[in-house]
Every structure is written in structure tokens, then in C-alpha cells.
Amino acid sequence: MVGEIPPVLGYLTELTVLNLSGNELSGVIPPNFGNLTKLRELYLNDNVLTGDLPLEVGTLTRLTQLWLDSNRLEGEIPSELGNLDKLARLNLQSNELSGDIPNELGNLASLTNLNLSGNKLTGEIPLQLGNLSGLRILVLSGNELRGHIPIELGDLTNLRELNLHDNRLSGDIPLELGKLTNLARLFLGDNALTGCVPSNLKEASDIGPYCK
């Protein structure tokens, strides 16, 4: 499938699942997708979509899956995504998104998988992400994030993977990460971090040294 997404899809208000992934769709995401208030799953990944991520996506409060990865989306991540309190998986990786990570993503209480890697995101990692107690995968690698790793990430005790690789993070590695006893993969390399990795994460971590 090639060409732009037909705006007429925004009038199919009974839709619960829309999957257009793996095509060659171009152009923008139609703002009238905000009319699809019964939508539970939206897959537009692996296309060549451009433009901003419409604010109207934040009205789709029944969404559990939002996959927009591997496109050419630009602009900032709308803070309105913080309204999607049923969202379990949010994947925006491999786009050209810029600006800060919205603090409002910390409101996504149902989230288990958050992937924002491979963009142009700047600013600091919001400490509000520490509120996402059900999170199992957090991937923020391949951006331009600065500042310290928030100690609040140590509260994400269900995490299986934490990937902050290839950013501009600095400061000591928080000892609070040692509370992540379910962690199987920890990627902190290609930053400017100091200090040591909690010794109980030695098998998971891609860097040392390890705390004694």
C-alpha cells in the first residue's frame, strides 16, 4: 500500500483495531483519527509517515497499543499522550522526534513497554517515569538526553530491560538501580557516567566498574 492515509478512515468511529503497518504510506497522520474513540489498538509502524504526531491522538483513551515506530515523524511528543491511561505499549522508536520527553508520560499507569529510542530527544529523563510501576521495558537509547539518571528509576522493580545507551547522560550511576532485581538487560554505555554499577546487576550490565 502506497500513498497517503485516507482521511476518510477517521470517520469509521466503530473501529477498535487499525493496522496499517509495514506499507509505504507517506504524508501525515490525519488529525481526524482523534474521532476513533473506540480504538484499542493502532499500528502505523514501518511506513514513511512524516509531520508531527497529532495532539488528537491523546483523545483515544481506550488505546492499549500505539505503535508508530520506524517512520519519519518530527516535532515534539505531545504531552496529551499522558491521557492514555489504558496504554500498555507505546513505541515511537526510529523517528525524528525532538524536544523533551513529556513529564505526563509518567501518568501512563498501565504501561509495560516504552520505547523512544533512535530519535533526537533532548533534555533530562523525567523523574515522573519512576511512577510507572508496571513497566517491564524502558528503552531511551540513541537520543541526546542529558543530565543525571533519576534515582526514581530504581522504583521500577518490574523492569526486565533498561536501555539508556548512547545519550549524553552524566553524573554517578544511582545505587538505587540495585533495587531492580528483575533486570536482565542494563545498557548504560556511550554516555559520560561516573561511579559504579550495583554489583547485583553485574550479569545484566554492558559496562563496569561494579560496586564492591
Side-chain angles (χ1 to χ4, degrees), residues 12 23 37 42 44 53 60 68 72 90 106 116 122 132 137 140 162 174 177-178 183 197 199-200 202 212:
L12 303 178
N23 287 289
T37 54
L42 177 57
L44 301 177
L53 178 51
L60 305 179
L68 304 177
R72 299 175 185 172
L90 174 58
L116 306 178
T122 54
L132 303 176
I137 297 176
L140 305 177
L162 175 59
L177 295 186
L183 208 61
V197 176
S199 57
N200 62 312
K202 184 175 182 179
K212 296 181 179 180

PDB file of all heavy atoms in Angstrom, residues 12 23 37 42 44 53 60 68 72 90 106 116 122 132 137 140 162 174 177-178 183 197 199-200 202 212:
ATOM      1  N   LEU A  12     -14.623   6.254  10.609  1.00  0.00           N
ATOM      2  CA  LEU A  12     -15.040   4.884  10.950  1.00  0.00           C
ATOM      3  C   LEU A  12     -15.032   4.738  12.466  1.00  0.00           C
ATOM      4  O   LEU A  12     -14.187   4.065  13.058  1.00  0.00           O
ATOM      5  CB  LEU A  12     -14.108   3.877  10.278  1.00  0.00           C
ATOM      6  CG  LEU A  12     -14.015   3.989   8.750  1.00  0.00           C
ATOM      7  CD1 LEU A  12     -13.031   2.964   8.206  1.00  0.00           C
ATOM      8  CD2 LEU A  12     -15.383   3.807   8.102  1.00  0.00           C
ATOM      9  N   ASN A  23       3.815  -0.900   5.317  1.00  0.00           N
ATOM     10  CA  ASN A  23       3.497  -0.472   3.965  1.00  0.00           C
ATOM     11  C   ASN A  23       4.484   0.620   3.534  1.00  0.00           C
ATOM     12  O   ASN A  23       5.563   0.736   4.114  1.00  0.00           O
ATOM     13  CB  ASN A  23       2.050   0.034   3.900  1.00  0.00           C
ATOM     14  CG  ASN A  23       1.048  -1.105   3.976  1.00  0.00           C
ATOM     15  OD1 ASN A  23       0.907  -1.880   3.045  1.00  0.00           O
ATOM     16  ND2 ASN A  23       0.341  -1.200   5.094  1.00  0.00           N
ATOM     17  N   THR A  37     -12.698   7.093  18.847  1.00  0.00           N
ATOM     18  CA  THR A  37     -12.626   6.993  20.308  1.00  0.00           C
ATOM     19  C   THR A  37     -12.840   5.577  20.847  1.00  0.00           C
ATOM     20  O   THR A  37     -12.644   5.344  22.036  1.00  0.00           O
ATOM     21  CB  THR A  37     -13.656   7.939  20.947  1.00  0.00           C
ATOM     22  OG1 THR A  37     -14.955   7.663  20.410  1.00  0.00           O
ATOM     23  CG2 THR A  37     -13.296   9.391  20.661  1.00  0.00           C
ATOM     24  N   LEU A  42      -3.663   0.709  17.616  1.00  0.00           N
ATOM     25  CA  LEU A  42      -3.333   1.473  16.419  1.00  0.00           C
ATOM     26  C   LEU A  42      -1.897   1.162  16.024  1.00  0.00           C
ATOM     27  O   LEU A  42      -0.960   1.410  16.792  1.00  0.00           O
ATOM     28  CB  LEU A  42      -3.488   2.974  16.683  1.00  0.00           C
ATOM     29  CG  LEU A  42      -3.109   3.927  15.531  1.00  0.00           C
ATOM     30  CD1 LEU A  42      -3.923   3.618  14.276  1.00  0.00           C
ATOM     31  CD2 LEU A  42      -3.294   5.375  15.953  1.00  0.00           C
ATOM     32  N   LEU A  44       0.723   1.911  13.005  1.00  0.00           N
ATOM     33  CA  LEU A  44       1.118   2.627  11.790  1.00  0.00           C
ATOM     34  C   LEU A  44       2.620   2.504  11.567  1.00  0.00           C
ATOM     35  O   LEU A  44       3.200   3.265  10.787  1.00  0.00           O
ATOM     36  CB  LEU A  44       0.738   4.113  11.904  1.00  0.00           C
ATOM     37  CG  LEU A  44      -0.742   4.427  12.131  1.00  0.00           C
ATOM     38  CD1 LEU A  44      -0.949   5.928  12.300  1.00  0.00           C
ATOM     39  CD2 LEU A  44      -1.593   3.895  10.988  1.00  0.00           C
ATOM     40  N   LEU A  53       3.262  14.328  15.310  1.00  0.00           N
ATOM     41  CA  LEU A  53       2.324  13.386  15.906  1.00  0.00           C
ATOM     42  C   LEU A  53       1.130  14.197  16.394  1.00  0.00           C
ATOM     43  O   LEU A  53       1.264  15.051  17.265  1.00  0.00           O
ATOM     44  CB  LEU A  53       3.006  12.665  17.074  1.00  0.00           C
ATOM     45  CG  LEU A  53       2.225  11.659  17.891  1.00  0.00           C
ATOM     46  CD1 LEU A  53       1.546  10.638  17.009  1.00  0.00           C
ATOM     47  CD2 LEU A  53       3.134  10.982  18.889  1.00  0.00           C
ATOM     48  N   LEU A  60      -7.709   9.359  22.338  1.00  0.00           N
ATOM     49  CA  LEU A  60      -8.028   7.934  22.144  1.00  0.00           C
ATOM     50  C   LEU A  60      -7.791   7.178  23.442  1.00  0.00           C
ATOM     51  O   LEU A  60      -6.888   6.342  23.565  1.00  0.00           O
ATOM     52  CB  LEU A  60      -7.186   7.361  21.001  1.00  0.00           C
ATOM     53  CG  LEU A  60      -7.292   8.117  19.671  1.00  0.00           C
ATOM     54  CD1 LEU A  60      -6.407   7.472  18.610  1.00  0.00           C
ATOM     55  CD2 LEU A  60      -8.732   8.189  19.195  1.00  0.00           C
ATOM     56  N   LEU A  68       3.998   3.486  16.436  1.00  0.00           N
ATOM     57  CA  LEU A  68       4.271   4.458  15.375  1.00  0.00           C
ATOM     58  C   LEU A  68       5.742   4.429  14.976  1.00  0.00           C
ATOM     59  O   LEU A  68       6.227   5.347  14.321  1.00  0.00           O
ATOM     60  CB  LEU A  68       3.894   5.874  15.849  1.00  0.00           C
ATOM     61  CG  LEU A  68       2.452   6.064  16.322  1.00  0.00           C
ATOM     62  CD1 LEU A  68       2.245   7.480  16.836  1.00  0.00           C
ATOM     63  CD2 LEU A  68       1.465   5.758  15.212  1.00  0.00           C
ATOM     64  N   ARG A  72       9.072   8.670   9.854  1.00  0.00           N
ATOM     65  CA  ARG A  72       9.882   9.896   9.818  1.00  0.00           C
ATOM     66  C   ARG A  72       9.152  11.029  10.523  1.00  0.00           C
ATOM     67  O   ARG A  72       9.202  12.180  10.101  1.00  0.00           O
ATOM     68  CB  ARG A  72      10.204  10.267   8.371  1.00  0.00           C
ATOM     69  CG  ARG A  72      11.001   9.198   7.628  1.00  0.00           C
ATOM     70  CD  ARG A  72      11.196   9.551   6.167  1.00  0.00           C
ATOM     71  NE  ARG A  72      11.850   8.462   5.445  1.00  0.00           N
ATOM     72  CZ  ARG A  72      12.016   8.430   4.122  1.00  0.00           C
ATOM     73  NH1 ARG A  72      11.580   9.439   3.373  1.00  0.00           N
ATOM     74  NH2 ARG A  72      12.602   7.385   3.538  1.00  0.00           N
ATOM     75  N   LEU A  90       3.786   1.633  24.184  1.00  0.00           N
ATOM     76  CA  LEU A  90       3.982   2.846  23.388  1.00  0.00           C
ATOM     77  C   LEU A  90       5.335   2.749  22.712  1.00  0.00           C
ATOM     78  O   LEU A  90       6.368   2.718  23.378  1.00  0.00           O
ATOM     79  CB  LEU A  90       3.927   4.087  24.282  1.00  0.00           C
ATOM     80  CG  LEU A  90       4.251   5.427  23.612  1.00  0.00           C
ATOM     81  CD1 LEU A  90       3.317   5.710  22.454  1.00  0.00           C
ATOM     82  CD2 LEU A  90       4.206   6.549  24.633  1.00  0.00           C
ATOM     83  N   GLY A 106       4.547   9.950  32.653  1.00  0.00           N
ATOM     84  CA  GLY A 106       4.533   9.308  33.963  1.00  0.00           C
ATOM     85  C   GLY A 106       3.142   9.019  34.479  1.00  0.00           C
ATOM     86  O   GLY A 106       2.989   8.366  35.519  1.00  0.00           O
ATOM     87  N   LEU A 116      11.342   4.832  23.124  1.00  0.00           N
ATOM     88  CA  LEU A 116      11.501   6.127  22.461  1.00  0.00           C
ATOM     89  C   LEU A 116      12.861   6.228  21.798  1.00  0.00           C
ATOM     90  O   LEU A 116      13.327   7.322  21.483  1.00  0.00           O
ATOM     91  CB  LEU A 116      11.352   7.268  23.482  1.00  0.00           C
ATOM     92  CG  LEU A 116      10.082   7.280  24.334  1.00  0.00           C
ATOM     93  CD1 LEU A 116      10.110   8.446  25.315  1.00  0.00           C
ATOM     94  CD2 LEU A 116       8.837   7.346  23.470  1.00  0.00           C
ATOM     95  N   THR A 122      15.913  15.529  23.543  1.00  0.00           N
ATOM     96  CA  THR A 122      16.879  16.248  24.368  1.00  0.00           C
ATOM     97  C   THR A 122      16.316  16.420  25.779  1.00  0.00           C
ATOM     98  O   THR A 122      15.294  15.850  26.122  1.00  0.00           O
ATOM     99  CB  THR A 122      17.185  17.612  23.744  1.00  0.00           C
ATOM    100  OG1 THR A 122      15.957  18.331  23.529  1.00  0.00           O
ATOM    101  CG2 THR A 122      17.886  17.462  22.396  1.00  0.00           C
ATOM    102  N   LEU A 132       5.846   4.599  36.874  1.00  0.00           N
ATOM    103  CA  LEU A 132       5.315   3.548  36.003  1.00  0.00           C
ATOM    104  C   LEU A 132       5.646   2.176  36.586  1.00  0.00           C
ATOM    105  O   LEU A 132       6.476   1.434  36.066  1.00  0.00           O
ATOM    106  CB  LEU A 132       5.879   3.698  34.589  1.00  0.00           C
ATOM    107  CG  LEU A 132       5.623   5.066  33.930  1.00  0.00           C
ATOM    108  CD1 LEU A 132       6.312   5.156  32.574  1.00  0.00           C
ATOM    109  CD2 LEU A 132       4.129   5.324  33.799  1.00  0.00           C
ATOM    110  N   ILE A 137       9.856  -2.854  30.214  1.00  0.00           N
ATOM    111  CA  ILE A 137      10.886  -2.475  29.243  1.00  0.00           C
ATOM    112  C   ILE A 137      10.876  -0.966  29.088  1.00  0.00           C
ATOM    113  O   ILE A 137       9.838  -0.367  28.796  1.00  0.00           O
ATOM    114  CB  ILE A 137      10.644  -3.146  27.873  1.00  0.00           C
ATOM    115  CG1 ILE A 137      10.745  -4.668  27.998  1.00  0.00           C
ATOM    116  CG2 ILE A 137      11.643  -2.640  26.840  1.00  0.00           C
ATOM    117  CD1 ILE A 137      10.428  -5.417  26.721  1.00  0.00           C
ATOM    118  N   LEU A 140      15.376   4.142  25.946  1.00  0.00           N
ATOM    119  CA  LEU A 140      15.545   5.554  25.580  1.00  0.00           C
ATOM    120  C   LEU A 140      16.847   5.780  24.835  1.00  0.00           C
ATOM    121  O   LEU A 140      17.302   6.916  24.688  1.00  0.00           O
ATOM    122  CB  LEU A 140      15.526   6.433  26.844  1.00  0.00           C
ATOM    123  CG  LEU A 140      14.306   6.291  27.765  1.00  0.00           C
ATOM    124  CD1 LEU A 140      14.476   7.167  28.994  1.00  0.00           C
ATOM    125  CD2 LEU A 140      13.025   6.634  27.027  1.00  0.00           C
ATOM    126  N   LEU A 162      16.445  -2.089  30.871  1.00  0.00           N
ATOM    127  CA  LEU A 162      16.626  -0.643  30.960  1.00  0.00           C
ATOM    128  C   LEU A 162      17.752  -0.270  30.012  1.00  0.00           C
ATOM    129  O   LEU A 162      18.901  -0.660  30.207  1.00  0.00           O
ATOM    130  CB  LEU A 162      16.974  -0.227  32.391  1.00  0.00           C
ATOM    131  CG  LEU A 162      17.311   1.256  32.595  1.00  0.00           C
ATOM    132  CD1 LEU A 162      16.142   2.146  32.176  1.00  0.00           C
ATOM    133  CD2 LEU A 162      17.695   1.524  34.044  1.00  0.00           C
ATOM    134  N   PRO A 174      23.119   5.792  39.722  1.00  0.00           N
ATOM    135  CA  PRO A 174      22.439   5.713  41.026  1.00  0.00           C
ATOM    136  C   PRO A 174      22.521   4.324  41.642  1.00  0.00           C
ATOM    137  O   PRO A 174      22.236   3.322  40.969  1.00  0.00           O
ATOM    138  CB  PRO A 174      20.989   6.077  40.700  1.00  0.00           C
ATOM    139  CG  PRO A 174      21.019   6.720  39.362  1.00  0.00           C
ATOM    140  CD  PRO A 174      22.193   6.142  38.639  1.00  0.00           C
ATOM    141  N   LEU A 177      19.509   1.836  41.469  1.00  0.00           N
ATOM    142  CA  LEU A 177      19.248   0.848  40.417  1.00  0.00           C
ATOM    143  C   LEU A 177      19.447  -0.574  40.925  1.00  0.00           C
ATOM    144  O   LEU A 177      18.953  -1.531  40.332  1.00  0.00           O
ATOM    145  CB  LEU A 177      20.152   1.099  39.206  1.00  0.00           C
ATOM    146  CG  LEU A 177      19.951   2.413  38.444  1.00  0.00           C
ATOM    147  CD1 LEU A 177      20.815   2.431  37.190  1.00  0.00           C
ATOM    148  CD2 LEU A 177      18.490   2.639  38.087  1.00  0.00           C
ATOM    149  N   GLY A 178      20.151  -0.715  42.010  1.00  0.00           N
ATOM    150  CA  GLY A 178      20.342  -2.035  42.608  1.00  0.00           C
ATOM    151  C   GLY A 178      19.054  -2.672  43.087  1.00  0.00           C
ATOM    152  O   GLY A 178      19.005  -3.880  43.342  1.00  0.00           O
ATOM    153  N   LEU A 183      15.926  -7.197  36.699  1.00  0.00           N
ATOM    154  CA  LEU A 183      16.564  -6.701  35.492  1.00  0.00           C
ATOM    155  C   LEU A 183      17.461  -7.767  34.859  1.00  0.00           C
ATOM    156  O   LEU A 183      18.320  -8.344  35.515  1.00  0.00           O
ATOM    157  CB  LEU A 183      17.401  -5.458  35.837  1.00  0.00           C
ATOM    158  CG  LEU A 183      17.619  -4.426  34.730  1.00  0.00           C
ATOM    159  CD1 LEU A 183      16.294  -3.850  34.255  1.00  0.00           C
ATOM    160  CD2 LEU A 183      18.523  -3.308  35.238  1.00  0.00           C
ATOM    161  N   VAL A 197      28.456   0.427  38.873  1.00  0.00           N
ATOM    162  CA  VAL A 197      27.189  -0.277  38.686  1.00  0.00           C
ATOM    163  C   VAL A 197      26.960  -1.165  39.910  1.00  0.00           C
ATOM    164  O   VAL A 197      27.880  -1.867  40.343  1.00  0.00           O
ATOM    165  CB  VAL A 197      27.241  -1.141  37.409  1.00  0.00           C
ATOM    166  CG1 VAL A 197      25.966  -1.950  37.243  1.00  0.00           C
ATOM    167  CG2 VAL A 197      27.489  -0.264  36.189  1.00  0.00           C
ATOM    168  N   SER A 199      26.585  -4.096  42.215  1.00  0.00           N
ATOM    169  CA  SER A 199      27.203  -5.394  41.931  1.00  0.00           C
ATOM    170  C   SER A 199      26.181  -6.475  41.590  1.00  0.00           C
ATOM    171  O   SER A 199      26.496  -7.410  40.846  1.00  0.00           O
ATOM    172  CB  SER A 199      28.063  -5.839  43.120  1.00  0.00           C
ATOM    173  OG  SER A 199      27.282  -5.905  44.303  1.00  0.00           O
ATOM    174  N   ASN A 200      24.950  -6.360  42.097  1.00  0.00           N
ATOM    175  CA  ASN A 200      23.955  -7.387  41.793  1.00  0.00           C
ATOM    176  C   ASN A 200      23.448  -7.300  40.355  1.00  0.00           C
ATOM    177  O   ASN A 200      22.724  -8.179  39.895  1.00  0.00           O
ATOM    178  CB  ASN A 200      22.777  -7.304  42.764  1.00  0.00           C
ATOM    179  CG  ASN A 200      22.030  -5.988  42.684  1.00  0.00           C
ATOM    180  OD1 ASN A 200      22.638  -4.915  42.699  1.00  0.00           O
ATOM    181  ND2 ASN A 200      20.716  -6.056  42.618  1.00  0.00           N
ATOM    182  N   LYS A 202      25.657  -7.034  37.811  1.00  0.00           N
ATOM    183  CA  LYS A 202      26.852  -7.309  37.013  1.00  0.00           C
ATOM    184  C   LYS A 202      26.549  -8.133  35.773  1.00  0.00           C
ATOM    185  O   LYS A 202      27.060  -7.854  34.683  1.00  0.00           O
ATOM    186  CB  LYS A 202      27.895  -8.025  37.876  1.00  0.00           C
ATOM    187  CG  LYS A 202      29.208  -8.283  37.174  1.00  0.00           C
ATOM    188  CD  LYS A 202      30.228  -8.880  38.136  1.00  0.00           C
ATOM    189  CE  LYS A 202      31.570  -9.103  37.455  1.00  0.00           C
ATOM    190  NZ  LYS A 202      32.582  -9.662  38.398  1.00  0.00           N
ATOM    191  N   LYS A 212      31.604  -2.532  45.097  1.00  0.00           N
ATOM    192  CA  LYS A 212      32.014  -3.606  45.996  1.00  0.00           C
ATOM    193  C   LYS A 212      31.010  -3.734  47.144  1.00  0.00           C
ATOM    194  O   LYS A 212      30.339  -2.797  47.494  1.00  0.00           O
ATOM    195  CB  LYS A 212      33.411  -3.318  46.560  1.00  0.00           C
ATOM    196  CG  LYS A 212      34.476  -3.307  45.464  1.00  0.00           C
ATOM    197  CD  LYS A 212      35.846  -3.039  46.049  1.00  0.00           C
ATOM    198  CE  LYS A 212      36.922  -3.040  44.986  1.00  0.00           C
ATOM    199  NZ  LYS A 212      38.264  -2.779  45.549  1.00  0.00           N
TER     200      LYS A 212
END
